[in-house]
Amino acid sequence: MRHGTTSIGDALREFMNKSRLKPRLTEVRIQENWENIMGKTIARYTQSVQLIERKLIITTSVAPLKQELTYSKDKIIKLVNEMLGENVVKEVMIR
């Protein structure tokens, strides 16, 4: 690379980090990888996964799953942040 030039990949990363689109794209990455993160059974009974202001909101109508997810909040935060490669999720809410 010449002095003062940037690769396209670096330029796109910098743009995304400064963009208002980043939280939405992060949410989509979580949704697309939810089955890999939590497993097929949990993914099957999860209606939605949303990321709002660093809170991961998981919606399910299955009472035993709600209870299990409530006990696993710290683990969910750790798994999602590891998948993303950065500390994005600070809190988990189960609905």
Side-chain angles (χ1 to χ4, degrees), residues 7 10 13 27 32 36 41 48-49 53 63 68 72-73 82-83 85 87 93 95:
S7 73
D10 290 341
R13 271 188 286 285
E27 179 180 346
E32 288 177 347
N36 295 332
T41 304
S48 71
V49 179
E53 296 178 7
E68 183 67 30
S72 302
K73 286 182 178 183
E82 283 178 0
M83 184 274 302
N87 287 329
M93 295 175 61
R95 293 187 179 163

Side-chain angles (χ1 to χ4, degrees), residues 1-94:
M1 295 252 157
R2 292 185 202 143
H3 180 69
T5 61
T6 306
S7 73
I8 292 175
D10 290 341
L12 283 173
R13 271 188 286 285
E14 185 177 335
F15 171 76
M16 291 310 301
N17 286 332
K18 293 179 181 179
S19 172
R20 294 183 314 164
L21 296 173
K22 185 176 181 185
R24 178 65 182 128
L25 291 173
T26 302
E27 179 180 346
V28 170
R29 282 183 60 202
I30 293 169
Q31 291 169 346
E32 288 177 347
N33 290 291
W34 187 245
E35 185 176 312
N36 295 332
I37 296 168
M38 299 303 295
K40 287 185 178 188
T41 304
I42 291 174
R44 183 181 310 131
Y45 294 108
T46 303
Q47 276 84 32
S48 71
V49 179
Q50 298 173 298
L51 183 65
I52 301 173
E53 296 178 7
R54 301 186 74 144
K55 294 178 188 172
L56 188 67
I57 302 168
I58 304 167
T59 306
T60 182
S61 60
V62 180
L65 180 57
K66 282 183 186 180
Q67 192 70 25
E68 183 67 30
L69 293 173
T70 300
Y71 291 135
S72 302
K73 286 182 178 183
D74 291 335
K75 182 180 178 184
I76 294 168
I77 292 170
K78 181 179 176 236
L79 290 171
V80 171
N81 284 335
E82 283 178 0
M83 184 274 302
L84 294 172
E86 56 184 312
N87 287 329
V88 174
V89 178
K90 295 290 183 189
E91 184 180 343
V92 173
M93 295 175 61
I94 313 298

